[in-house]
Amino acid sequence: MMQSKSIKIAITGGIGSGKSTVAEILAAQGEKVFSCDKIYARLLSENKKMTQKIISEFGEKILNGGSIDKRALSERVFSDNTLLEKLNNITHPEILNSVNELTNKEHLCFVEVPLFFESSWEQYFNGAIVVLRDINERIAAVTMRNNVKQEEAENRIKTQLNYDNCDFAEYYVIHNNKNLVDLKQKTLKILKKIKIDYL
């Protein structure tokens, strides 16, 4: 585990697991919560060095009105692991730099990190909350939220870590298998435990 004055806890889980809802619950409790997806969106509009690298790699088909179309870029890479890796190699160092800038002055903070294990970011955090959910529930959530067909939702899930086959014994695990009230209770219980463990 990384040791620093700032306690950084990742919030992760597969697409459609409910990690964003866990992040929202923590934020509503007054905790400092950051999102890698929001940082990435900001970098796409502000970080010219990064965007030029992306355009050079993926061509102008991903542009819309002169700017990178995030959805078009996502559709291009999610069906091709090689392209996804190329995009991650460009964006992840920049995202991590921004995460560090935002969190270094915080005593305790949480960062929603979609590809935490796939990117080997464990070394940059003190711990992680892993949100687990039934695969069919995840597919339904992605289909509804992203307005995509079931097949596309399944393909996006397949590109990620198989959370069902992993051992998360050393992490804080939340099973999102009931309703929002239950998820909130579990999240607050984990928050209490994290504060006992680290503060």
Side-chain angles (χ1 to χ4, degrees):
M1 294 286 183
M2 183 195 71
Q3 295 299 318
S4 70
K5 290 181 181 178
S6 174
I7 304 299
K8 301 177 187 179
I9 307 293
I11 306 166
T12 195
I15 185 170
S17 63
K19 58 186 176 295
S20 294
T21 306
V22 169
E24 288 168 7
I25 292 167
L26 291 170
Q29 295 298 308
E31 300 301 324
K32 278 285 184 180
V33 182
F34 303 95
S35 162
C36 283
D37 280 346
K38 288 179 181 177
I39 291 169
Y40 172 49
R42 177 174 57 79
L43 290 174
L44 281 179
S45 64
E46 295 178 4
N47 189 319
K48 301 301 178 188
K49 177 184 164 189
M50 186 185 86
T51 54
Q52 284 304 316
K53 283 182 181 179
I54 293 172
I55 295 166
S56 296
E57 185 65 54
F58 296 97
E60 297 190 355
K61 287 183 179 180
I62 61 167
L63 296 178
N64 185 359
S67 300
I68 291 175
D69 185 324
K70 192 179 173 187
R71 183 171 183 128
L73 180 58
S74 294
E75 288 173 354
R76 179 95 193 275
V77 303
F78 269 113
S79 58
D80 188 321
N81 284 337
T82 303
L83 292 180
L84 182 59
E85 187 176 352
K86 284 181 179 179
L87 178 63
N88 290 343
N89 286 340
I90 295 169
T91 60
H92 283 190
E94 300 294 336
I95 294 169
L96 185 60
N97 283 340
S98 290
V99 166
N100 286 333
E101 287 174 8
L102 289 166
T103 61
N104 276 339
K105 292 179 182 177
E106 301 296 338
H107 184 42
L108 170 66
C109 59
F110 298 85
V111 186
E112 188 182 343
V113 188
L115 301 176
F116 182 69
F117 297 107
E118 294 93 329
S119 305
S120 301
W121 276 22
E122 300 98 312
Q123 61 188 309
Y124 305 117
F125 287 79
N126 300 84
I129 298 170
V130 182
V131 186
L132 302 178
R133 194 179 193 182
D134 177 78
I135 186 74
N136 292 325
E137 293 288 329
R138 289 175 61 198
I139 291 168
V142 174
T143 303
M144 186 180 297
R145 185 191 68 196
N146 293 30
N147 194 25
V148 297
K149 294 179 180 177
Q150 182 176 328
E151 184 182 1
E152 185 176 340
E154 290 173 352
N155 287 338
R156 290 197 176 198
I157 288 171
K158 284 176 186 174
T159 65
Q160 295 187 345
L161 182 76
N162 185 342
Y163 282 80
D164 294 332
N165 290 341
C166 295
D167 178 12
F168 297 115
E170 66 178 292
Y171 300 101
Y172 303 98
V173 176
I174 294 176
H175 292 277
N176 181 16
N177 53 9
K178 291 184 181 178
N179 52 39
L180 185 57
V181 173
D182 180 73
L183 182 60
K184 182 177 180 179
Q185 288 175 345
K186 289 174 178 175
T187 302
L188 296 183
K189 190 175 180 180
I190 291 292
L191 176 60
K192 188 175 181 181
K193 191 170 190 318
I194 287 170
K195 289 187 173 182
I196 290 169
D197 289 346
Y198 289 101
L199 300 184

